[in-house]
Amino acid sequence: MNDITIYIIDDEPEMVELLSDVVELAGLNVQGYTLASKFFEKVIHYNPGDILLLDLNMPEMDGVEVMRKLSTQQNQPALILISGTDKGLLSAAEKLGKAHNLDIITVLSKPVNIYNLIPLLNRKNITAHTDHLSNYLNPLDSSLTKADLHYAIQNNQLVLYYQPQLEISTGKLTSVEALVRWNHPEQGLIFPDRFIPLAEHSGLIGDLTSWVVNETMYQNQQWLKQNLKMSVSVNISADDVMSLNLPEQITELLNNNSLDPSSLTLEVTESALMGELVTSLDILTRLRLKGIKLSIDDFGTGYSSLSQLHKIPFTELKTDRSFVDKITTDSEARAIVKTCIILGHEINMKVVAEGVEDQQTWELLSNLGCDIAQGYFIAKAMPGDVFVDWVNSRNL
Ligand code: C2E
Ligand code: CA
Ligand code: CA
């Protein structure tokens, strides 16, 4: 141990505990606090190299107040700012810290990627313990590597499952959402929550998205041959909406497959739009100009402002399933979904409810005027060929 100390202030005890464990495993001293006032009571002097990991959103004294107070002290630790809210806020806080002459090492959004954090803590001798860490942090996923995922994308180990979306007023099939899975040679079928974050962190998400879009178009053509005409939705990630040639890439794929741009909907989550809004606005507007439809996914879980929503030419709004699955029992969830429906219609968007698991929910959504439903009540996601049988068996 050397005499550098890493301080942590975060109102969530679990977060303090997790970050403390990471710092300790990295071989450094750590002191964690859930109250900023306690921190200021106890710590009055810092050594060179000391770092404070500071959560911005805290009820008692928030991170901005902590920075202001630090700036009045004799000497200060360097800072890493952490926040669960939007990136815009983080960068505003970073500017504010710099204006106070504080040494801001970086800003991190929650959930914190520990692998990004470790090298920042001690720029001299940190890497020794990281092997140890990978098992500790993510016992399940340490078995999935970037190289394997790269291989999987190149060698068709990925497969798409399709989940139907029905128009509530008529019960007709309008569209499907393509959901990716990894058919892993040893581990079997792996769900996206286990490898999309890896794709995003390792720079493979662009390749993955291209594969998904391409495969979707191939499948859509097969369905057209069987007289099944519908729109297909594909999920895209934050990095994709930062890639300036995405609209051209997708248009080329559509042309190569002789498909109409309106047969494709791209689903973007609210949180994906939190980065560089100008860049994503540019890309999304050009996608829309080319006739591709845009859906705002997991709506209600992020922090997009109404004016922001209005600037982006979305055609569809998907209310998050964490609200939808409670609307028959929880009046607050019902109010949220109802508001989403009214809001969506007000700005000319179709509203999709995902996570519809029973008849009661379907009927309530129908009464609330929701346009489209998706969920286990209708069907789980299934492979493309099974999908055709499903449609036939239901006479859709
Ligand atoms: P999502 O876009 O919100 O997708 C909906 C998820 O909810 C899917 O899980 C789906 O199977 C599940 N679901 C659908 N109906 C119900 C229901 O009635 N009840 C419950 N409990 N769950 C339901 P899945 O396939 O595991 O996908 C998880 C997430 O992975 C997706 O969430 C999406 O964010 C991401 N994802 C999936 N495919 C892709 C992809 O090709 N590219 C990218 N970037 N992300 C993807
Ligand atoms: Ca989605
Ligand atoms: Ca969703």
Side-chain angles (χ1 to χ4, degrees):
M1 293 257 175
N2 52 32
D3 52 6
I4 293 176
T5 303
I6 309 295
Y7 299 97
I8 300 162
I9 314 180
D10 192 311
D11 61 306
E12 291 176 61
E14 308 81 57
M15 194 67 190
V16 173
E17 204 173 306
L18 171 73
L19 292 173
S20 301
D21 287 350
V22 172
V23 174
E24 270 170 8
L25 282 165
L28 295 165
N29 302 312
V30 64
Q31 284 185 34
Y33 298 87
T34 51
L35 284 177
S37 51
K38 273 271 164 337
F39 166 82
F40 282 113
E41 247 172 68
K42 289 263 167 66
V43 188
I44 37 173
H45 176 79
Y46 311 96
N47 289 314
D50 283 359
I51 294 174
L52 168 61
L53 301 176
L54 176 62
D55 180 24
L56 291 177
N57 314 80
M58 297 184 293
E60 181 230 21
M61 179 192 283
D62 66 40
V64 171
E65 290 174 275
V66 171
M67 286 197 290
R68 194 189 312 127
K69 184 148 180 173
L70 281 172
S71 71
T72 64
Q73 294 184 334
Q74 288 275 313
N75 70 343
Q76 293 93 11
L79 290 172
I80 295 178
L81 306 179
I82 302 177
S83 171
T85 45
D86 61 276
K87 295 212 175 86
L89 179 73
L90 270 173
S91 75
E94 182 180 19
K95 286 195 194 103
L96 190 67
K98 287 184 176 156
H100 280 312
N101 282 325
L102 296 170
D103 177 9
I104 312 281
I105 299 172
T106 190
V107 297
L108 298 173
S109 40
K110 283 184 185 175
V112 174
N113 180 334
I114 308 293
Y115 296 95
N116 292 344
L117 175 62
I118 295 163
L120 301 170
L121 293 178
N122 181 342
R123 295 160 220 188
K124 285 171 241 139
N125 62 350
I126 270 305
T127 43
H129 295 76
T130 45
D131 278 354
H132 191 47
L133 270 174
S134 64
N135 292 330
Y136 164 80
L137 289 167
N138 222 338
L140 263 180
D141 289 10
S142 59
S143 60
L144 303 175
T145 65
K146 177 181 176 181
D148 288 346
L149 182 56
H150 184 72
Y151 183 86
I153 299 170
Q154 305 292 326
N155 294 279
N156 277 322
Q157 283 182 7
L158 300 184
V159 279
L160 291 183
Y161 275 51
Y162 299 89
Q163 190 177 32
Q165 302 180 329
L166 303 188
E167 187 173 56
I168 297 179
S169 61
T170 60
K172 277 197 186 134
L173 178 68
T174 57
S175 38
V176 280
E177 177 173 5
L179 295 159
V180 70
R181 277 98 181 81
W182 178 356
N183 208 342
H184 194 280
E186 279 124 39
Q187 301 190 31
L189 205 62
I190 302 179
F191 282 79
D193 289 339
R194 277 189 62 205
F195 62 86
I196 293 293
L198 170 65
E200 288 172 339
H201 290 140
S202 62
L204 288 172
I205 193 69
D207 290 347
L208 187 143
T209 302
S210 299
W211 184 89
V212 172
V213 173
N214 212 356
E215 179 67 17
T216 301
M217 292 187 186
Y218 172 77
Q219 182 57 257
N220 208 357
Q221 263 190 339
Q222 299 303 305
W223 286 333
L224 278 173
K225 285 182 193 154
Q226 293 164 286
N227 271 331
L228 203 60
K229 191 168 187 276
M230 66 206 156
S231 149
V232 184
S233 298
V234 168
N235 293 284
I236 60 172
S237 289
D239 277 1
D240 297 317
V241 285
M242 290 300 148
S243 158
L244 280 166
N245 62 350
L246 181 77
E248 286 67 31
Q249 271 178 349
I250 291 193
T251 310
E252 195 186 328
L253 287 176
L254 283 163
N255 288 340
N256 291 347
N257 287 284
S258 338
L259 284 168
D260 194 288
S262 67
S263 67
L264 181 67
T265 302
L266 298 179
E267 298 192 0
V268 193
T269 60
E270 266 191 291
S271 51
L273 300 174
M274 288 308 155
E276 296 244 358
L277 195 63
V278 180
T279 312
S280 46
L281 207 57
D282 170 315
I283 291 157
L284 293 169
T285 307
R286 281 190 293 128
L287 284 165
R288 193 62 206 112
L289 282 171
K290 293 177 189 300
I292 294 154
K293 294 190 283 183
L294 299 175
S295 173
I296 183 154
D297 201 357
D298 298 348
F299 189 75
T301 58
Y303 298 86
S304 49
S305 70
L306 284 181
S307 65
Q308 209 164 297
L309 245 190
H310 191 62
K311 278 190 207 128
I312 303 170
F314 286 109
T315 48
E316 179 184 280
L317 182 157
K318 286 186 96 166
T319 61
D320 193 64
R321 67 171 190 273
S322 61
F323 307 118
V324 174
D325 65 12
K326 290 198 267 302
I327 58 169
T328 58
T329 52
D330 177 337
S331 58
E332 227 165 86
R334 185 158 61 242
I336 292 173
V337 171
K338 187 176 168 185
T339 308
C340 288
I341 296 170
I342 295 170
L343 171 70
H345 288 165
E346 199 63 41
I347 38 185
N348 282 323
M349 295 192 272
K350 291 268 183 214
V351 179
V352 182
E354 67 175 14
V356 179
E357 293 190 355
D358 52 45
Q359 174 110 27
Q360 263 181 308
T361 306
W362 168 285
E363 277 163 12
L364 186 51
L365 286 165
S366 171
N367 292 336
L368 293 173
C370 184
D371 303 289
I372 294 163
Q374 176 182 351
Y376 295 169
F377 175 59
I378 301 155
K380 288 196 176 177
M382 55 198 124
D385 46 347
V386 177
F387 191 77
V388 178
D389 296 336
W390 181 83
V391 172
N392 290 334
S393 72
R394 298 262 304 225
N395 276 327
L396 285 166

